[in-house]
Amino acid sequence: MTRSCTLWSDRLANALPRILINTPIMTSLYGFVKRLYLVFYPPAPEAPTESPLRFGVLGAARIAPIALIYPVKNHSDAVVKAIAARDQGRADAFAKKHGIPKAYGGPGAYQKLLDDPEIDVVYNPLPNGLHYEWTMKALAAGKHVLLEKPSADTAEETRKMFAFAQEKRLVLLEAFHYRFHPATRRLKEIVDSGEIGILTKIETSLAVPSGLIDDGNIRMVYDLGGGVMMDNGCYTLSMSRYLSGADPTKVISAKADILPKFPLVDIGGTATLAFPTPGGSTGPAEGLTATLDVHYRLPPRFGFLPQWPKVFARVTGTRGSVELNNFVGPWIYHQITIESSEEEGGPLQKRTEQRYGNLGWTTYRYQLEAFVDKLRGRDPEHWFDAQDSITNMEWIETIYKETGLGSRPPSTAKVPQATGT
């Protein structure tokens, strides 16, 4: 009996990992852990090119590793060659940590990186208020630019940047990384298929609990283009425009939450915009509306329980709805939930889907793939043009005007200009 029990225990112990991995929960957990591991420890490319595109990074920003440095590590045709920071010590520490050969620091560091003939492409994750100045200077230096969102503080600045890039025959891309991920592409595919009928409402939310954005965060500095509608709001607006396949026609309502110590910086807000009915179809009398919900400091429940982040895009139509949760970071986790009926008023059928795509590829890795393809003269699987970025900024400014806060202050830096601007 003892021997039989021991034999059974040994067999169970040997089989347990396979049993656990093959259960839905453990399979999901195993996939989650493996995805994250490959994000932070990406495998080297199998066949790196002899002359890869050489990236330089302006500023030792926290977003730089996940947005560019990790994705580059398993791309065969890209490498990060230099980092520039206002402090030499910070530049050196960043370069050492991430294996970057060159570190420019101190006064003039950004320009030194731009003047480096070994840099082909510049990644600009500087504060919003510095996007225009350093993107224009990078373009003037003959560098392609991957520019963090939002593109600038005003639509006019955005227009000038893209006009200059066109004149210089350089590629400029606003880094709306979520747009390149298979989960977002699948959401758009479902919306466009007609499965949920004529669109009536789009809801997008990017709201985080208190404690993540403190008073000292650069997002709270008005002169640097601070404000939640600039930051989180540009995502929700971009997603609403992408899903509708159109641009707004007017702002129906907009409200901003502010603090007395930051009278011009919104920490939360909502906006409802009117959109044309997709394809000119005859839909409900009220047409299509999109509601944006953004916040830096969701208050705790019952005064002490932190709220879970609200990050989703939901589209409702005359025959159902579809929702993608965590649309900003679907590579971490996500779920697409579809409820639809064969005819208006019919019983709803529910299903869920996931689209993670290539194992270990983040939204940023998919974005890098498209960006490099564009630079090499290939057709990216997905792309969006200058007008998309300009229009997004125009409507952010319109929303700010409606709230009474007004646009963020334009840059006063002296920069090169495109001919005719």
Side-chain angles (χ1 to χ4, degrees):
M1 182 69 175
T2 302
R3 186 176 176 220
S4 297
C5 288
T6 302
L7 183 60
W8 171 248
S9 297
D10 290 344
R11 288 178 176 174
L12 181 60
N14 290 331
L16 191 56
R18 294 194 299 274
I19 294 171
L20 291 176
I21 288 174
N22 285 316
T23 62
I25 293 177
M26 292 307 297
T27 299
S28 179
L29 180 60
Y30 174 76
F32 171 76
V33 172
K34 189 170 183 179
R35 281 196 308 275
L36 289 191
Y37 178 83
L38 291 175
V39 166
F40 295 103
Y41 301 96
E46 293 183 1
T49 59
E50 293 184 3
S51 301
L53 292 164
R54 299 163 297 182
F55 282 76
V57 180
L58 292 178
R62 291 181 181 179
I63 194 175
I66 193 68
L68 181 69
I69 294 170
Y70 296 146
V72 159
K73 287 184 183 297
N74 85 327
H75 197 294
S76 63
D77 197 21
V79 63
V80 177
K81 277 286 188 180
I83 173 73
R86 294 184 185 275
D87 179 80
Q88 186 66 58
R90 189 178 182 197
D92 290 339
F94 193 93
K96 182 179 179 181
K97 180 177 181 180
H98 297 289
I100 300 173
K102 296 182 181 181
Y104 296 106
Y110 296 164
Q111 190 61 50
K112 289 176 183 176
L113 184 145
L114 300 185
D115 293 338
D116 188 338
E118 293 188 344
I119 299 300
D120 306 307
V121 192
V122 167
Y123 170 54
N124 183 355
L126 295 171
N128 302 339
L130 299 177
H131 283 183
Y132 174 68
E133 175 184 357
W134 289 102
T135 296
M136 293 297 275
K137 289 179 177 179
L139 293 170
K143 315 298 185 184
H144 305 284
V145 181
L146 177 60
L147 173 63
E148 268 304 330
K149 54 83 213 159
S151 55
D153 278 358
T154 68
E156 182 60 22
E157 290 178 344
T158 304
R159 189 176 294 107
K160 288 180 178 180
M161 287 189 295
F162 279 97
F164 197 30
Q166 182 178 17
E167 182 177 287
K168 299 282 285 183
R169 297 184 180 181
L170 295 167
V171 176
L172 170 61
L173 174 66
E174 185 180 12
F176 276 119
H177 55 97
Y178 82 91
R179 288 269 292 265
F180 297 90
H181 196 271
T184 303
R185 306 290 300 286
R186 176 56 180 154
L187 175 65
K188 174 67 169 171
E189 185 179 65
I190 293 169
V191 169
D192 289 349
S193 72
E195 180 179 351
I196 63 171
I198 299 170
L199 307 190
T200 59
K201 181 168 60 173
I202 298 173
E203 301 163 271
T204 52
S205 178
L206 180 47
V208 297
S210 298
L212 297 179
I213 308 295
D214 61 25
D215 289 357
N217 195 291
I218 59 170
R219 294 169 176 83
M220 302 300 294
V221 181
Y222 172 71
D223 289 341
L224 290 178
V228 72
M229 191 57 70
M230 287 285 287
D231 190 24
N232 298 15
C234 70
Y235 275 110
T236 57
L237 176 60
S238 172
M239 176 61 102
S240 297
R241 293 176 50 246
Y242 178 55
L243 294 176
S244 70
D247 294 324
T249 55
K250 69 176 180 178
V251 177
I252 298 172
S253 64
K255 187 185 83 167
D257 297 338
I258 60 173
L259 298 173
K261 63 173 70 174
F262 302 108
L264 294 176
V265 177
D266 47 323
I267 64 164
T270 59
T272 300
L273 299 91
F275 278 79
T277 303
S281 303
T282 304
E286 60 271 21
L288 172 63
T289 61
T291 300
L292 321 179
D293 180 20
V294 292
H295 219 290
Y296 279 152
R297 301 180 179 182
L298 289 173
R301 298 183 186 277
F302 311 111
F304 66 94
L305 288 177
Q307 289 200 48
W308 193 255
K310 297 194 300 181
V311 187
F312 65 83
R314 181 187 302 124
V315 185
T316 302
T318 53
R319 286 172 36 210
S321 65
V322 57
E323 177 179 328
L324 168 62
N325 66 359
N326 197 25
F327 74 91
V328 172
W331 54 274
I332 303 172
Y333 72 89
H334 72 269
Q335 186 162 277
I336 305 170
T337 304
I338 308 102
E339 292 185 294
S340 62
S341 60
E342 293 185 0
E343 57 184 8
E344 292 185 25
L348 294 174
Q349 300 293 322
K350 182 177 180 179
R351 72 179 190 280
T352 60
E353 298 182 8
Q354 292 177 315
R355 290 290 190 279
Y356 284 106
N358 296 333
L359 191 60
W361 279 35
T362 63
T363 48
Y364 303 101
R365 179 61 179 82
Y366 278 101
Q367 175 180 259
L368 179 65
E369 189 77 7
F371 189 58
V372 171
D373 280 346
K374 193 73 171 179
L375 292 177
R376 291 305 196 191
R378 299 185 290 266
D379 290 331
E381 186 174 345
H382 179 69
W383 195 255
F384 53 97
D385 60 15
Q387 190 57 51
D388 193 291
S389 294
I390 294 167
T391 301
N392 214 60
M393 201 64 237
E394 286 174 342
W395 283 97
I396 289 174
E397 288 195 275
T398 304
I399 291 169
Y400 268 118
K401 181 179 179 180
E402 187 69 23
T403 65
L405 295 180
S407 301
R408 309 296 86 179
S411 173
T412 58
K414 293 183 178 180
V415 298
Q417 299 286 322
T419 304
T421 62

